[in-house]
Amino acid sequence: MNDLTQRYIKLLHNRQQLQQLAAQHSMAHFCDLLARYLNWPDLTEPQMLTFLRQQNAKVVVPQSIEFNRCWFAYAYQSNQQSVRWLLANEKPQQPFLADYIAANRQSLLATLIQPYSLLADLLAVAAPTKVVPALLIFHWSRTGSTLLASSMMPAARCLVLSESMLISDVLTDPVWQDRTKELLQLLVHLQSSPWPECSSIIIKTNAWDLQQWRLWQTAFPDAKSLCLIRQPAAVLRSHKREAGRHMVKQRVTVWLDDNCQAEDLITYQQQKLTQLMQLTAQLVKTGNSTLIDYQQLIQLSNRQWRQLTGLPLNDSDIMTWQQHLKLDAKNNGQLYRPAEPATSDCSPELAQQYHLLRLQCQDWNADELNPLPAV
């Protein structure tokens, strides 16, 4: 490794210099600043572009914890078995990590500096310290999970990782099937490392991560666990308007075992919702996860909300929660307009399975809650 490459690697571990580069919006200013950091006084823009293109093609092995404080692991490339990095700034506040990633990839720095690492190398240099999430949120999608997770994002001590595709993509890659627990712990560590000031890590999984609930509980046995459910007709109506990735049959599936033979979309979606219900029943049977229905979630009192999450939330955090109840969690700033569907939108079998699950929801003091709606 020549001196220039060594200086570049050192730059990748220097948060202050990276942030100063990230503040540049013109190629000329970026080039001038990079020239200073690399001690390359006569660096020209064409030379800079060639050099960075060469560096982006090389595997980066983090040299210290400082790298993890600078960079956010955001994507997995299965063809290379590699992890892509994005410069971390303020903690994610968007409803989904995908929104945070898309916004931060617009910067000039993100366009020019694109490091990546092999997952095997990251496992080899992984820190012995394991992150312990405060809360795991399982759900079927369209069950209020985004409402719950986004309401905790403004809390200073909370870091919410909402639907991490990096984690889901790695866990469903058969190449790593013998090391999934180790990888899950590593990836949560990497995605939370840029914000060490956040003492409470909340992970809202992707809906299909429910198929690996045993892995999540084995990896994080001390984490509090919630599972959110909702009337099947309401879930199906929402997917009819905009189908989630796990509710459309695809050649490259997110399911570990996708043998559904449905001939039409609605049948496929009902089969997948049935599968999620069965997984939920298995999870709740362990006694290690709290089941809560959407209609209960939106009626929780402040005391019940603290009890549900198990987080040390102050009055300001609780006020944020109350404000979020009035908003559409997926459309920033817009009031939520509920559109509950009729019973006929789902099969009797689905309705019966939901009814049996709903009976296992915790009674959050009936005097403070309206009764659950009829199926």
Side-chain angles (χ1 to χ4, degrees):
M1 183 184 299
N2 61 38
D3 291 344
L4 187 57
T5 300
Q6 288 180 339
R7 289 195 291 272
Y8 177 76
I9 295 299
K10 186 176 180 180
L11 169 64
L12 294 182
H13 291 70
N14 190 316
R15 184 175 181 84
Q16 182 178 1
Q17 291 182 347
L18 288 168
Q19 289 178 334
Q20 289 175 348
L21 282 170
Q24 306 308 311
H25 301 292
S26 76
M27 192 76 75
H29 290 159
F30 190 98
C31 185
D32 289 343
L33 197 56
L34 185 64
R36 189 200 315 170
Y37 293 153
L38 296 179
N39 192 22
W40 189 350
D42 57 348
L43 176 65
T44 64
E45 289 184 24
Q47 287 174 324
M48 177 187 72
L49 294 175
T50 299
F51 173 76
L52 292 178
R53 188 162 48 246
Q54 292 170 344
Q55 297 303 316
N56 289 338
K58 297 178 181 179
V59 174
V60 173
V61 180
Q63 304 296 311
S64 70
I65 193 173
E66 293 307 315
F67 183 90
N68 296 337
R69 296 283 172 85
C70 298
W71 298 93
F72 176 73
Y74 78 93
Y76 174 64
Q77 292 189 311
S78 58
N79 60 331
Q80 292 180 310
Q81 294 168 25
S82 64
V83 170
R84 310 293 305 190
W85 301 97
L86 183 70
L87 185 66
N89 46 44
E90 295 186 1
K91 69 175 185 175
Q93 296 278 359
Q94 294 87 338
F96 305 99
L97 273 181
D99 300 325
Y100 171 80
I101 292 165
N104 283 280
R105 291 189 69 190
Q106 303 303 311
S107 71
L108 181 59
L109 182 142
T111 302
L112 297 175
I113 300 180
Q114 301 178 359
Y116 78 97
S117 301
L118 297 181
L119 195 48
D121 289 342
L122 296 177
L123 279 169
V125 301
T129 304
K130 296 294 188 295
V131 174
V132 180
L135 182 64
L136 302 177
I137 303 174
F138 297 103
H139 60 98
W140 301 344
S141 83
R142 322 302 165 88
T143 56
S145 60
T146 303
L147 173 67
L148 177 61
S150 63
S151 67
M152 291 181 276
M153 289 177 179
R157 298 178 303 278
C158 293
L159 171 66
V160 180
L161 301 176
S162 178
E163 302 193 7
S164 169
M165 285 306 304
L166 167 68
I167 293 176
S168 295
D169 288 345
V170 170
L171 295 185
T172 52
D173 188 343
V175 171
W176 303 104
Q177 60 183 351
D178 296 328
R179 304 190 71 178
T180 49
K181 176 184 174 182
E182 186 180 1
L183 279 167
L184 179 53
Q185 292 171 334
L186 170 66
L187 295 175
V188 171
H189 169 72
L190 292 178
Q191 290 204 309
S192 59
S193 288
W195 303 281
E197 68 278 7
C198 295
S199 56
S200 296
I201 298 172
I202 296 98
I203 300 177
K204 188 186 88 163
T205 65
N206 279 299
W208 60 89
D209 290 327
L210 192 55
Q211 66 190 321
Q212 292 179 298
W213 65 264
R214 291 181 181 85
L215 169 62
W216 283 87
Q217 291 208 332
T218 301
F220 306 115
D222 296 326
K224 186 177 179 65
S225 170
L226 303 178
C227 188
L228 276 59
I229 67 173
R230 190 179 186 181
Q231 289 176 300
V235 175
L236 292 171
R237 171 68 64 85
S238 180
H239 283 290
K240 185 176 181 180
R241 291 194 297 267
E242 184 179 357
R245 180 173 173 179
H246 63 298
M247 296 293 266
V248 179
K249 193 170 183 63
Q250 304 175 68
R251 185 180 61 83
V252 180
T253 180
V254 297
W255 296 97
L256 296 174
D257 182 13
D258 192 10
N259 295 321
C260 292
Q261 302 299 319
E263 295 182 359
D264 58 87
L265 179 61
I266 186 59
T267 303
Y268 181 82
Q269 292 180 344
Q270 293 205 26
Q271 289 177 353
K272 285 302 162 188
L273 189 51
T274 297
Q275 185 176 348
L276 289 169
M277 287 185 179
Q278 293 169 345
L279 292 165
T280 300
Q282 296 168 11
L283 170 61
V284 174
K285 190 175 181 180
T286 66
N288 296 324
S289 187
T290 299
L291 189 66
I292 183 165
D293 184 87
Y294 174 77
Q295 292 298 326
Q296 289 181 303
L297 179 69
I298 62 176
Q299 298 178 72
L300 290 177
S301 68
N302 293 353
R303 178 183 61 80
Q304 291 168 334
W305 193 64
R306 282 193 178 98
Q307 181 184 353
L308 175 72
T309 62
L311 299 173
L313 301 169
N314 57 36
D315 291 341
S316 176
D317 298 329
I318 294 296
M319 185 178 297
T320 299
W321 156 256
Q322 294 292 347
Q323 293 171 343
H324 266 76
L325 286 178
K326 303 173 185 177
L327 301 176
D328 187 330
K330 294 183 173 68
N331 294 293
N332 189 30
Q334 296 184 25
L335 291 176
Y336 177 67
R337 302 182 184 279
E340 292 293 336
T343 303
S344 59
D345 284 1
C346 75
S347 67
E349 293 79 13
L350 269 178
Q352 178 62 19
Q353 287 186 61
Y354 166 71
H355 175 71
L356 294 175
L357 276 174
R358 193 186 65 182
L359 293 175
Q360 300 181 62
C361 288
Q362 180 170 336
D363 181 6
W364 294 88
N365 297 327
D367 59 323
E368 294 189 33
L369 289 173
N370 296 325
L372 284 170
V375 177

